[in-house]
Amino acid sequence: MSTHHVPSPYEGKFIKHRQHLSISAYWFATNFLWGALLVLMLPNEMRLMAPHYRVSALGLLTGIAAIVALTVPLIVGALSDRCTSRFGRRRPYIVVGVLINIVGLGLMAAAFTFATVIPSPPAGQEPGQWETIGILLSNSSFLWFLFAYIVVQFGNNIASAAYSGIIPDLIPQEQRGAASGYMALMSQTGTLMGGVIVGFALSGQPEWIKYGVLALVLGGVAAITIRGIEETTLQGPLDPLNWKQYLKSLWIDPKKFPDFAWVWITRALVMLGFYSVLPFINYYLIDVIGIKDPDQAAPMLMGVILLASSISGVYGGYVSDRIGRKKVVYLANGVIAVMVLGFIFCRNFEQVLIVGTLFGIGFGAYTSVDWALGTDVLPTKTNAAKEMAIWHVAMTLPQSIAAPIATIIITSFGKTSVKEEAEVVVHYTSAGYGAVFLMAAICFAAGAYFLKNVRGVK
């Protein structure tokens, strides 16, 4: 199954810095959103809504919502590949997705504002894993918040799925490393600014103000990409999409396209490690490092990680165009595998910042070539959004299972209740977080090791 080839308006041209920034602006917008939500707002909101069950609540929330991120791109990718709008194949879906995303943010603000606290169990009656899930899913406040978060995921993944086809659509192959570097820069900068603005500038403000800022930045910056990119209109009419045939086409035979399969596997391993750690960094600072209020510490940690990764991200993309993608990944993954283990041995926040900086250098270098690797090994170029959506599953599938797995690991090592300033606070053990860091290190190292099987990319 294929669509007509659509020539890129940038073919044969050198893409200037300003054009790269316009093309990559959406990365800033969406990562501003997720930098604020995943690292700061969701952990804090679950800590307030479900103080006794915060780890389980966060894992359940992110795990269920990630199913949307797993399925929506596979549908939208195919639809945008065949879009004959005069505005282009990708832009109409980006616009609709961003609008739905903004509606979802409004629903999340309302759901949290009117939420009630889930009470702690009676002393000596600690529920098990399944009982905890039942308690959370039977609570109307948690369900409304979960629904609103699913709307955000739905809209964001409509926009992101269509946008995923932009680089293979528009960027000439010899400039994709540079484009991937800009993507890394905008992604890291967006995540950093999301954390800094929400964590510092809006510290102490009501959640609805924070959600309002997220909506304004998402819509305003995404508009730069929507207005700034050039797309060639796909000429119709096209035959109706055969969904049965399309679903069969989602299977890309690893024997026929082994390079694509191995890049998919290596990315999935890295993302499994990353998303098993990311949602719980906030709680790690509370339970292991002893920081009572992580609203300032978490964005500071995120800031040093992302500043370091932004620098290595830009240079990593250019370097990979010259020396090859694989060499950059080998070095980068080695660094992040060692550094994530370093968090186990940190005993104060200063040590966490040092380890975080080194981790950021490695992770920025990895993200700088991640997208370029994916576009280099696509089976075809005529169904770019569909194939990038399949490749994107290597990130979304680990998201749907990483947080639940990490939740099971952290909670299985037990927790203690401590009275702090007339309030009983639940703390999880350092051994639980250490086990999650170890799992992440193994995933990062395996992601580099299996890349050796990719033959068509140096």
Side-chain angles (χ1 to χ4, degrees):
M1 188 182 105
S2 65
T3 59
H4 300 295
H5 174 68
V6 180
S8 168
Y10 299 94
E11 195 64 47
K13 300 177 182 177
F14 176 77
I15 300 175
K16 299 176 181 178
H17 295 296
R18 179 181 57 79
Q19 292 172 307
H20 272 300
L21 291 173
S22 292
I23 291 169
S24 297
Y26 176 80
W27 288 124
F28 180 97
T30 190
N31 281 282
F32 185 97
L33 169 73
W34 293 118
L37 276 181
L38 289 180
V39 180
L40 299 174
M41 293 173 66
L42 290 182
N44 185 56
E45 288 159 357
M46 291 302 99
R47 188 157 56 99
L48 295 173
M49 287 176 59
H52 193 85
Y53 310 104
R54 55 184 163 91
V55 168
S56 297
L58 185 60
L60 187 64
L61 182 78
T62 54
I64 291 177
I67 296 172
V68 176
L70 175 63
T71 54
V72 169
L74 296 175
I75 299 170
V76 174
L79 294 175
S80 71
D81 277 336
R82 301 169 59 83
C83 180
T84 57
S85 167
R86 65 188 180 89
F87 298 107
R89 292 195 290 174
R90 315 304 179 189
R91 279 185 290 191
Y93 287 91
I94 297 173
V95 171
V96 171
V98 168
L99 291 175
I100 294 174
N101 193 337
I102 290 172
V103 170
L105 290 172
L107 293 174
M108 287 184 73
F112 179 77
T113 299
F114 297 106
T116 56
V117 177
I118 300 176
S120 302
Q125 298 183 28
E126 185 66 37
Q129 289 279 354
W130 290 109
E131 290 177 280
T132 298
I133 292 173
I135 290 170
L136 293 169
L137 292 180
S138 63
N139 182 272
S140 59
S141 292
F142 182 82
L143 285 177
W144 277 114
F145 192 84
L146 173 61
F147 169 76
Y149 185 51
I150 286 173
V151 174
V152 167
Q153 284 277 12
F154 182 69
N156 188 268
N157 279 278
I158 289 174
S160 297
Y163 182 73
S164 295
I166 292 293
I167 288 181
D169 274 355
L170 305 182
I171 309 298
Q173 185 165 1
E174 66 275 8
Q175 298 182 65
R176 285 182 187 160
S180 191
Y182 277 97
M183 182 207 78
L185 172 64
M186 298 300 274
S187 297
Q188 309 297 1
T189 306
T191 307
L192 172 62
M193 294 305 295
V196 168
I197 290 177
V198 171
F200 290 103
L202 299 179
S203 178
Q205 296 296 321
E207 292 296 286
W208 67 266
I209 291 180
K210 297 176 183 178
Y211 278 108
V213 170
L214 294 188
L216 286 172
V217 172
L218 177 66
V221 179
I224 296 174
T225 290
I226 294 166
R227 291 175 58 87
I229 60 175
E230 299 176 35
E231 285 195 89
T232 304
T233 301
L234 174 63
Q235 299 300 314
L238 303 178
D239 294 332
L241 183 60
N242 185 323
W243 284 103
K244 184 177 180 180
Q245 184 182 356
Y246 169 70
L247 291 175
K248 287 182 179 179
S249 76
L250 293 177
W251 172 251
I252 296 178
D253 190 348
K255 292 182 179 179
K256 204 171 178 181
F257 302 102
D259 283 352
F260 181 84
W262 281 114
V263 169
W264 193 99
I265 290 169
T266 58
R267 190 191 201 213
L269 285 166
V270 173
M271 293 300 113
L272 181 63
F274 185 68
Y275 283 103
S276 65
V277 171
L278 179 66
F280 303 102
I281 280 292
N282 196 298
Y283 297 159
Y284 160 78
L285 294 174
I286 295 172
D287 296 330
V288 178
I289 305 303
I291 295 174
K292 293 183 179 180
D293 185 1
D295 287 352
Q296 301 291 319
M300 189 180 299
L301 172 60
M302 187 167 68
V304 299
I305 291 175
L306 293 172
L307 281 174
S309 63
S310 296
I311 296 170
S312 61
V314 172
Y315 288 107
Y318 282 107
V319 169
S320 75
D321 281 337
R322 290 165 175 78
I323 69 170
R325 322 283 193 218
K326 291 165 69 173
K327 291 178 182 177
V328 174
V329 173
Y330 292 147
L331 179 60
N333 282 28
V335 171
I336 60 178
V338 172
M339 286 303 109
V340 78
L341 289 175
F343 286 116
I344 298 174
F345 303 100
C346 292
R347 292 297 175 265
N348 56 59
F349 189 57
E350 289 73 22
Q351 293 172 352
V352 172
L353 291 176
I354 293 171
V355 172
T357 301
L358 297 173
F359 179 90
I361 291 171
F363 194 72
Y366 172 79
T367 57
S368 72
V369 300
D370 177 42
W371 206 259
L373 262 176
T375 55
D376 284 348
V377 298
L378 287 183
T380 73
K381 300 294 185 258
T382 56
N383 296 300
K386 184 202 80 173
E387 290 168 357
M388 289 301 286
I390 297 169
W391 181 72
H392 191 59
V393 170
M395 182 175 77
T396 54
L397 178 60
Q399 281 184 52
S400 67
I401 61 176
I405 290 172
T407 295
I408 293 170
I409 293 173
I410 293 170
T411 56
S412 67
F413 281 85
K415 56 187 175 184
T416 58
S417 297
V418 180
K419 194 169 185 179
E420 297 178 1
E421 299 177 358
E423 180 183 356
V424 176
V425 179
V426 172
H427 288 287
Y428 295 84
T429 67
S430 58
Y433 292 98
V436 170
F437 289 136
L438 176 60
M439 182 187 81
I442 293 171
C443 290
F444 293 147
Y449 177 78
F450 289 119
L451 194 64
K452 68 183 179 66
N453 296 305
V454 177
R455 305 297 183 190
V457 177
K458 66 175 183 176

